[in-house]
Amino acid sequence: METLKLLRDYFPTAVFTGKCLLFISEDWRVELTEHKEGDFSKAEAGPAIIRVRISKKTLNEGFVAGHYEDFQLASLNELAEQIEKYVQSAIGTNLREDFE
């Protein structure tokens, strides 16, 4: 959860639920969750895996799961920039501006 807590500063419009960072707009839901590497045979753990899930709001006000992508970058700034770029290209809106 440490990486999510750090990303919370980069994405001030996100809500931290204790298990994920969440962005909700009129049409979209973007959820960031943190996962640890499952290979315990490695001597040194790599950076956490951040899974970005994108869902679109349906006519009945529910959300239908769309697609997701996993990010694993050591640099927090690069991680945040790549996540922002991914979401922006996937849904055509900026996380920092349009999810307020």
Side-chain angles (χ1 to χ4, degrees), residues 7 10-11 71 73 75-88 95-96:
L7 284 172
Y10 190 85
F11 298 115
F71 292 82
L73 300 166
S75 164
L76 185 67
N77 284 336
E78 185 180 5
L79 175 65
E81 288 171 6
Q82 293 303 313
I83 288 171
E84 186 172 21
K85 200 183 310 184
Y86 170 74
V87 172
Q88 189 168 347
L95 279 175
R96 293 208 247 183

Side-chain angles (χ1 to χ4, degrees), residues 33-71:
T33 54
E34 185 172 337
H35 305 272
K36 297 292 181 188
E37 182 70 49
D39 187 356
F40 297 109
S41 66
K42 293 182 180 178
E44 187 176 311
I49 298 167
I50 301 297
R51 177 164 290 167
V52 180
R53 290 184 188 276
I54 299 177
S55 303
K56 181 148 178 69
K57 190 175 276 188
T58 63
L59 294 175
N60 65 358
E61 300 298 315
F63 288 95
V64 63
H67 49 279
Y68 71 88
E69 190 65 45
D70 291 338
F71 292 82

